[in-house]
Amino acid sequence: MQSRNVTLPEENKRNIIEINLTVPAEFVLVGFSDIPKLHWFFFGIFLFIYVIILLGNGLIILITKVEPTYQTPMYFFISNFSFIEICYVSVTLPRMLMDLCTLKGNISFYGCATQMCLFLFLGTTECFLLVVMSYDRYVAICNPLYYPLIMNHKMCNQLVVGSWVIGIPIQVGQTYHIFSLPFCKSNKLNHFFCDMPQLLQLTCGDIFMSKIMFYIPTVLFVTVPFMLIVGSYSRIISTIVKLPSSTGRTKAFSTCSSHIIVLFLFYGSGGITYLKPKSNEYEGTDKILSLFYTILTPMFNPLIYSLRNKDVTMALRKFFPSLFTLQKN
C-alpha cells in the first residue's frame, strides 16, 4: 500500500490550531480523588477543621468587640487577622469538601479564575497585615511612650485598609493574564484548588514572561514583607534583651511569641511552595504544603493566640459564664 501526502487547506489548518488552543469550558480538580476509598475520612477531618476555624476565629473577633479592655490596636489587628483567616479558608475548603462528597472536581473556567483571584488577594492581604502587626509590636516595645500617639485609631484603620487594598490591582491583573493564556494541555489540575503554579503547567507556548510575572509579585508580596517583619523583630529582640527587669522581658517575649509562631507556619510553608522550582515529581509534596498555609495555619491561629495569651484566656473565662447566665435568665 502506497502512502501519500495529504495537503490540508490553510483554512483547515487554522481551524485545527484554534481547536487545540481553545479555552477550556471547565477544569478538573484532582484533589484527593486518587485515593477514593478514604474520601469520607478526609471529608470528616476537613469538615471538623473548618468548623474549628470558624468557631475559633469567630470567637476571637467576638471577644475583641465585646470586651472593653481589648479595644486596643493589638487586638484590633488580631481580630482583623482572624476575619481574613475565615475568608481565606472559605475560598478553598468548602469547595474541597463538596468535591470529596461528590467525588467530582469539575469547576468552571470563570469559577476557577474567581477562586484563584480571591485566594491570591486574601493571601496578599494576610502578608501585609502580618507586617502591620509586627510594626505594632515594634512601636509598643521599642517606643512605648509614643505608642498611643503613633498607633491612634485613624492610623490603625489606615493600616488595615492599606493591607486590604494594596494587592487588588496586581492580583486582578495577574489573574487576567494567566487566564488569557492558551490552554492546550490536559484540563486536570493535580491540586485541591485553582492555584497559579498548577495552571501555568497546563498552558503551552512560550510562558517565560508568564513565569516572570508569577515570580515578581511572589517575591514582592512574600519576601519583602517577610524581610520587614524580620527587621522589626530583630529590633524588638535587641530591645527586650536590654530590659532591666526579668518580668518585663518575659512579658514582652510572651506577647510576641504568638505572632512569631504564626509567621513561621504561614511563611514557611507558603514560601517553600511558591519559591521552590516546580517539578512534577513533587506535586504530592506541594499539596501537603498547601494544606499547611491554606487550612492548618488558620486553624492554629486561634489556638496559638488563646492558649499563649493570658489576656485572651481570661476573657474566655469571663465570656462563657456570662453566656450561661444569660441562658438561665
Side-chain angles (χ1 to χ4, degrees):
M1 181 180 293
Q2 294 182 348
S3 62
R4 56 179 182 174
N5 297 326
V6 179
T7 303
L8 294 174
E10 289 298 321
E11 184 178 354
N12 290 347
K13 290 181 179 179
R14 285 196 299 270
N15 290 337
I16 292 172
I17 293 172
E18 289 176 1
I19 291 171
N20 288 337
L21 300 182
T22 187
V23 175
E26 64 180 16
F27 293 97
V28 179
L29 298 171
V30 175
F32 300 97
S33 61
D34 50 346
I35 41 178
K37 293 182 179 180
L38 297 176
H39 74 106
W40 285 116
F41 173 73
F42 287 128
F43 178 84
I45 289 177
F46 292 132
L47 179 61
F48 175 76
I49 290 174
Y50 189 46
V51 171
I52 292 295
I53 291 170
L54 295 179
L55 291 178
N57 286 287
L59 194 58
I60 287 178
I61 295 171
L62 185 61
I63 289 172
T64 55
K65 297 297 181 184
V66 171
E67 286 290 328
T69 53
Y70 302 119
Q71 307 297 316
T72 62
M74 183 179 75
Y75 291 107
F76 174 71
F77 295 134
I78 288 175
S79 66
N80 276 275
F81 185 72
S82 294
F83 177 71
I84 291 175
E85 293 282 50
I86 291 174
C87 298
Y88 184 66
V89 77
S90 296
V91 171
T92 58
L93 196 47
R95 173 78 209 192
M96 186 171 67
L97 290 172
M98 185 182 72
D99 292 341
L100 285 169
C101 187
T102 61
L103 288 180
K104 295 178 181 179
N106 303 64
I107 183 170
S108 67
F109 180 83
Y110 293 106
C112 188
T114 302
Q115 186 187 55
M116 192 189 83
C117 186
L118 289 173
F119 178 78
L120 293 175
F121 160 63
L122 290 168
T124 301
T125 304
E126 187 166 341
C127 286
F128 281 99
L129 190 57
L130 287 170
V131 175
V132 170
M133 293 170 72
S134 68
Y135 175 70
D136 172 69
R137 292 299 85 206
Y138 164 75
V139 177
I141 294 174
C142 299
N143 297 289
L145 297 178
Y146 294 98
Y147 182 74
L149 182 64
I150 297 174
M151 302 304 293
N152 54 60
H153 183 70
K154 182 180 178 181
M155 174 61 74
C156 292
N157 285 326
Q158 288 175 343
L159 289 172
V160 170
V161 171
S163 300
W164 279 93
V165 172
I166 193 169
I168 291 177
I170 294 179
Q171 299 303 359
V172 171
Q174 201 172 25
T175 302
Y176 176 79
H177 173 75
I178 293 297
F179 283 87
S180 300
L181 295 172
F183 292 90
C184 58
K185 299 178 184 179
S186 170
N187 67 335
K188 289 187 177 181
L189 287 168
N190 190 14
H191 213 16
F192 55 88
F193 69 97
C194 292
D195 203 6
M196 194 183 303
Q198 284 70 31
L199 283 163
L200 280 174
Q201 293 179 9
L202 302 184
T203 59
C204 58
D206 186 10
I207 59 170
F208 175 75
M209 287 305 299
S210 300
K211 289 184 177 180
I212 294 296
M213 289 188 67
F214 164 69
Y215 280 107
I216 288 177
T218 301
V219 171
L220 181 64
F221 293 143
V222 176
T223 307
V224 173
F226 182 74
M227 295 305 295
L228 290 173
I229 292 168
V230 169
S232 296
Y233 274 100
S234 62
R235 293 289 302 275
I236 289 170
I237 291 171
S238 64
T239 302
I240 292 174
V241 170
K242 295 176 184 178
L243 291 176
S245 171
S246 60
T247 305
R249 288 196 297 268
T250 303
K251 185 177 180 180
F253 271 121
S254 64
T255 304
C256 300
S257 60
S258 302
H259 190 198
I260 293 173
I261 293 171
V262 173
L263 283 172
F264 274 105
L265 285 172
F266 181 75
Y267 276 102
S269 55
I272 292 171
T273 302
Y274 279 89
L275 297 178
K276 74 177 181 62
K278 303 302 171 188
S279 173
N280 294 331
E281 298 178 7
Y282 303 107
E283 287 183 343
T285 305
D286 288 343
K287 281 196 283 190
I288 294 172
L289 287 171
S290 298
L291 287 174
F292 271 93
Y293 66 84
T294 58
I295 297 175
L296 295 181
T297 301
M299 182 185 71
F300 288 139
N301 172 41
L303 296 175
I304 291 169
Y305 280 122
S306 60
L307 294 178
R308 296 186 61 84
N309 193 313
K310 293 181 180 180
D311 294 335
V312 176
T313 305
M314 290 175 64
L316 287 172
R317 290 175 180 175
K318 292 179 182 178
F319 186 69
F320 281 111
S322 64
L323 278 182
F324 293 137
T325 304
L326 288 173
Q327 288 179 353
K328 289 178 181 179
N329 295 335

